[in-house]
Amino acid sequence: MATLSAPPVLSTPESSIISDEELHTVYEIKRTIREIQDGKWRRIALQFPDEMLRDAPRVFETLDRGLRETRVSGSSSSTQGKLQDELQKVGLNEDHVDDHTPEHKLYILGDTSYGACCVDEIAAEHVDAQVVVHYGRSCLSSTARLPVIYVFTHHPLSIDAAVQAFKDAFPDRAQKVILMADVTYADHIPSLHEMLKAEDYQEVFATQILHSPASPLPNRTMPEAVANGDDLRKYHLFHLAEPPGSLLLTLSSRLASVRICPAHAPRVGAVASPLAVSTSLALRRRYALVTSLSTASVFGILINTLSVSNYLQIVEYVKAQIAAAGKKSYTFVVGKVNAAKLANFGEIGGWVVIGCWESSLIESKDFWKPVITPFELDLALQRDSERIWTGEWRSDFNDVLAHGSPANQIEGQEDGVPGDRRPHGPEEGQDDGLDSEAESEPPEFDLQTGRYVSQSRPMQRERQLPRRSGHGEKPSPSQVLTIRGSGELATIRGHVSPGAEFLRSQRTWRGLGSDLEIRYEDGQDVEVDGSTSTPGTSIAQGRSGIAKGYSVGDGDELH
């Protein structure tokens, strides 16, 4: 093993430290100070992504110093006169005012609750912030509570290299091309557009940043011809820097072609050939996930944001859609999503992510069960005979809400049950025949396993079940959980519970004491796994003592 000749360097390398002048340029210090002063905010939260945390203390000090200098230089005699008048009204003078009390308080938000592209309103409210300054790339999703100052940061770019890459991608100067860039390079689009016009490219449209993820070009302006009815598919796209996966799927399904110019090559002055992007494989993979969930009976609604506006409305929308399809849903809030967290819930057949339009697309083979978006859920809940895949893909859940809701998407809805999916129960006065196979829901074919699934819509059968208890009768606490015979689902408080059924039939370990037989308070035996419960196993004394030695039972021997 090699030995260290010197202690490791724990500080930031000098090559990674930017100068004060670059700090003002990259983090737009002057504009930030001006907007804070214009908004008259006093408690400001500074949110940094992980890769920018090394610059956070210097940005904090520079902003704090700039705000203090602006406050001092902006004071005038008229302001001082008004202050004296106000102090006299309350019986004070200027001596009672502490000149050293800071008028502005800045806070650094390091570890975000969810994705770095979203504004962390939860952490900001912990310090009672009035505004959030968000640094780095952003999804630009509308926030629910706090105003936001976006600082996308400035990155150098060789415009000459980008122009040459564009000319290589589009030699025909009559082609209709849209210029677009990642938000961290969007400030270079006007310069690039002017140089292309000088090269006789007259059909090139330069986009501008627009806070609208539901736009046909998410968060970007559209050509005037498209707004007047022209087809967006006639346009090609030239994109600076690699876009996130959700944006790439959206753009590829709406434009003639997409060419990506890597940002790192033009930055160093090298000419990089723009990459032609094809998302057909990614779309086929997403469609495979959708069809694999067509027979899932239980969905998990995974809330991955608490700040994006209308997230509560989309949660209720998803719940209503799942219930209308006769399936069960459970809601989870787990913070940052990873495979280990979701693997704890084996009863969930598929997950629906409620998050910003960028973070909702989760593509990883590490997850045990598929993770889809609200738009894909609408397709998964349709039957195989109704599902039509057009290749279109939407990422923003506000766009899904705008295209309809369970109330107006499904005709004939009554009492929360869609008319075209309403179970056909027996007429009044006839035998219900609930156990009859003829009235049971027909099985659905699972394309993934090649088998028929008979309980893919368990909640649809619950609507057929009449309430057998008397009027106003409630189950006793000892009978809240009812374990039924084979072929029937477990119920909780009279309602079918696929989660309880999974716990009863598939989980082998059910917690501490699960090896003991069950006997309810009323003394009645309960059938479990085909056998009647017997008196529980006697409790034995376990180990006792301290960590360095345990004694078992009454023996003196230590273990």
Side-chain angles (χ1 to χ4, degrees), residues 405-474:
S405 63
N408 54 34
Q409 278 190 338
I410 305 171
E411 297 180 358
Q413 182 168 344
E414 179 182 343
D415 298 332
V417 182
D420 58 347
R421 295 177 183 172
R422 177 177 290 277
H424 299 286
E427 296 181 1
E428 185 177 358
Q430 297 181 359
D431 184 15
D432 54 11
L434 292 175
D435 297 328
S436 173
E437 184 68 22
E439 291 190 2
S440 63
E441 184 70 18
E444 295 186 49
F445 184 74
D446 190 344
L447 297 175
Q448 204 171 27
T449 62
R451 299 179 180 179
Y452 282 97
V453 180
S454 59
Q455 292 182 349
S456 63
R457 303 176 186 270
M459 308 310 293
Q460 200 167 34
R461 175 172 171 78
E462 183 190 16
R463 300 191 187 104
Q464 295 176 303
L465 296 175
R467 296 289 179 261
R468 299 185 180 276
S469 59
H471 297 288
E473 182 180 352
K474 297 182 179 179

Side-chain angles (χ1 to χ4, degrees), residues 2 86 88 97 99 104 130 175 199 271 282 313 331 352 386 403 426 440 526:
E86 295 295 331
Q88 290 177 0
V97 181
D99 293 335
H104 298 85
Q130 298 173 327
Q175 283 184 296
E199 295 286 342
V271 178
Q313 287 86 332
T331 305
V352 184
E386 304 171 351
H403 281 75
S440 63
V526 177

Side-chain angles (χ1 to χ4, degrees), residues 256-387:
S257 68
V258 177
R259 300 293 182 94
I260 297 177
C261 180
H264 61 83
R267 282 174 61 183
V268 298
V271 178
S273 299
L275 305 176
V277 178
S278 175
T279 58
S280 58
L281 182 60
L283 287 174
R284 288 199 298 267
R285 184 166 59 249
R286 300 305 301 181
Y287 185 63
L289 291 178
V290 168
T291 54
S292 68
L293 292 178
S294 60
T295 56
S297 59
V298 183
F299 282 90
I301 302 175
L302 190 60
I303 299 180
N304 197 33
T305 180
L306 294 177
S307 58
V308 179
S309 62
N310 297 330
Y311 80 93
L312 292 177
Q313 287 86 332
I314 192 63
V315 169
E316 295 302 321
Y317 171 88
V318 169
K319 286 182 179 179
Q321 287 289 79
I322 295 175
K327 300 175 184 287
K328 181 68 175 179
S329 65
Y330 298 92
T331 305
F332 299 84
V333 180
V334 297
K336 293 183 178 179
V337 179
N338 58 51
K341 292 180 180 179
L342 303 191
N344 290 317
F345 307 98
E347 58 269 38
I348 303 299
W351 297 90
V352 184
V353 176
I354 307 298
C356 74
W357 65 278
E358 285 191 9
S359 63
S360 295
L361 180 63
I362 299 178
E363 290 191 300
S364 176
K365 297 181 179 179
D366 297 334
F367 290 92
W368 186 34
K369 296 297 176 64
V371 183
I372 62 176
T373 66
F375 168 71
E376 294 170 333
L377 175 69
D378 286 346
L379 294 173
L381 295 180
Q382 297 176 8
R383 299 184 184 274
D384 294 337
S385 59
E386 304 171 351
R387 188 182 304 113

